[in-house]
Amino acid sequence: MNFSKVLQTLKNFNELVMFQHTIFSLPFIFIAMITAAGGWFGWKLLLLGLGAAVSARNFAMAFNRWCDRDIDAKNPRTASRPSVDGRVGGGKMVLFILGNGALFVGVAYLINDLAFKLSLPILGILALYSVMKRFSFLAHLILGLSLALAPIAGVIAVSESVPLWSLFLSLGVLFWVAGFDVLYSLQDIEFDKNEGLHSIPSRFGEKKAILLSRIFHLLTLFFWFLFVIFAPLGQIMLFAWAFCVMMLGYEHYLVSQDFRNIPKAFFTVNGYLGIVFLTFCIADRAL
C-alpha cells in the first residue's frame, strides 16, 4: 500500500469538505445535549453525536462541491478546489456523498426512533442549499437552517423531544449562520451577478447586504437571549450571551473596516464564538 498516496487522498477529501469547519455546528449540538441532559450525557451519545455531526456535514459539503463544479471552475477564488482541479473526481464524490448519507441514517437509527425518522428529511434539507442559490437569495437562510438542525438533533438524541428552549437556540444558529454567510458572499458579488447566481449581496448591493447581515445577527442575539432565559441553565450563561454580543460586534467591525478581513471574520471569530459558548455551558453545569 502506498501510504503517501493514501495520505494525499485523505488530504484532498479534507480540503474538499473543509473538515475543520465542523467547529461551527458541533458546539451547538453539545450545548443542546448538555442542556437536555442537565450535564454529562454519556460516552455513547458523545460518540453517536460526533458520528452524526461529521457524517451530516461531510454529506452536505460534498454534495455542495459536486453540484457547484461548473460554477467553481469559473470563479478564481474557488478554481483550485479538489472538486474542480481533478484531485477528487465526480465518481469518488458521489460515493463519498452516498457513504456519509448512509452513515448518518445508520447513526440516527442507533440513537432513537425519532432521530431515525427525521434522518432522511434532514439530509434533504442539507442538500437543498446547494440548489437553492441557483433560484433564490434565500439560500443564506437555507444554509442557516441546515446548521440550525444541529442543536435540534442534539436534544432529540438525549430526550427524544423538542422543547421550546431548543427552538430558540436553533433559531439563533439559523440567523447567526445566515448573517455571516451574507458577509462571506460579499467576496463574490460581481461573480454572482455575472453568472446569474442568487445572493443577498448580488440582489440588494453591498450596503443593504451588510444591513441585513446585522439584522440577522440582532435576531441571533434575541433568540439566544431567550434560550438563556428559558433553558434550565444558570446565570453563567448570561456571560456567554454577552460574549456573543462582543464577538458579533467585532465581526461586523472587521468587515466594515476592510472586505479583506472577511475570511478572518468568517473563520476565526465565528469559530471561537461556538467554542466559548460551549465552554460557558459546560462551566454552568459543572458549577
Side-chain angles (χ1 to χ4, degrees):
M1 180 182 291
N2 189 331
F3 286 101
S4 62
K5 187 175 181 180
V6 171
L7 288 174
Q8 185 59 50
T9 299
L10 291 175
K11 182 180 178 181
N12 291 338
F13 273 99
N14 178 63
E15 187 178 341
L16 177 76
V17 299
M18 302 185 77
F19 180 78
Q20 64 272 26
H21 291 180
T22 309
I23 198 171
F24 293 141
S25 60
L26 202 56
F28 290 94
I29 294 177
F30 292 140
I31 289 169
M33 294 174 78
I34 290 169
T35 305
W40 175 236
F41 43 80
W43 289 105
K44 178 183 177 181
L45 283 181
L46 174 65
L47 294 176
L48 291 174
L50 282 169
V54 172
S55 58
R57 192 180 181 285
N58 284 347
F59 169 87
M61 284 296 296
F63 186 76
N64 181 257
R65 294 290 188 258
W66 182 77
C67 288
D68 283 0
R69 287 172 297 167
D70 57 332
I71 298 172
D72 290 343
K74 300 176 184 178
N75 189 341
R77 188 178 64 81
T78 58
S80 60
R81 285 176 174 171
S83 52
V84 177
D85 62 16
R87 282 178 289 158
V88 180
K92 289 182 179 179
M93 275 190 283
V94 170
L95 289 175
F96 188 75
I97 293 164
L98 294 175
N100 277 279
L103 178 60
F104 176 75
V105 173
V107 170
Y109 177 79
L110 295 175
I111 292 174
N112 57 48
D113 288 342
L114 182 57
F116 178 62
K117 290 176 182 176
L118 293 176
S119 59
L120 288 179
I122 286 175
L123 289 179
I125 293 172
L126 294 178
L128 181 59
Y129 168 72
S130 300
V131 296
M132 190 71 171
K133 58 193 169 186
R134 299 171 186 262
F135 304 104
S136 173
F137 64 85
L138 296 177
H140 306 284
L141 293 170
I142 298 299
L143 179 63
L145 176 61
S146 299
L147 272 75
L149 294 172
I152 295 292
V155 73
I156 286 175
V158 173
S159 64
E160 208 166 349
S161 63
V162 184
L164 181 61
W165 59 260
S166 67
L167 295 178
F168 292 143
L169 178 61
S170 293
L171 284 169
V173 172
L174 188 159
F175 287 109
W176 171 53
V177 172
F180 70 63
D181 190 56
V182 169
L183 294 179
Y184 192 73
S185 64
L186 287 168
Q187 300 175 104
D188 296 327
I189 185 170
E190 293 303 324
F191 177 82
D192 288 349
K193 287 180 180 178
N194 293 335
E195 294 297 319
L197 297 174
H198 299 271
S199 70
I200 285 178
S202 65
R203 173 70 179 273
F204 299 104
E206 291 180 3
K207 290 183 178 180
K208 289 183 179 179
I210 292 174
L211 175 61
L212 284 170
S213 175
R214 290 174 179 174
I215 291 172
F216 286 164
H217 282 162
L218 286 174
L219 288 170
T220 294
L221 296 173
F222 171 72
F223 284 116
W224 281 348
F225 183 76
L226 291 179
F227 161 68
V228 170
I229 297 300
F230 282 88
L233 297 169
Q235 294 184 351
I236 287 178
M237 292 304 292
L238 290 172
F239 292 98
W241 182 81
F243 174 81
C244 292
V245 173
M246 291 187 292
M247 292 300 284
L248 290 177
Y250 180 57
E251 178 177 348
H252 284 274
Y253 168 76
L254 286 175
V255 174
S256 67
Q257 292 299 110
D258 194 328
F259 281 2
R260 287 176 295 183
N261 291 329
I262 289 176
K264 180 180 179 181
F266 182 83
F267 300 118
T268 306
V269 175
N270 290 301
Y272 278 117
L273 185 151
I275 292 173
V276 175
F277 206 151
L278 173 60
T279 302
F280 273 108
C281 187
I282 293 172
D284 180 85
R285 293 297 83 196
L287 299 176

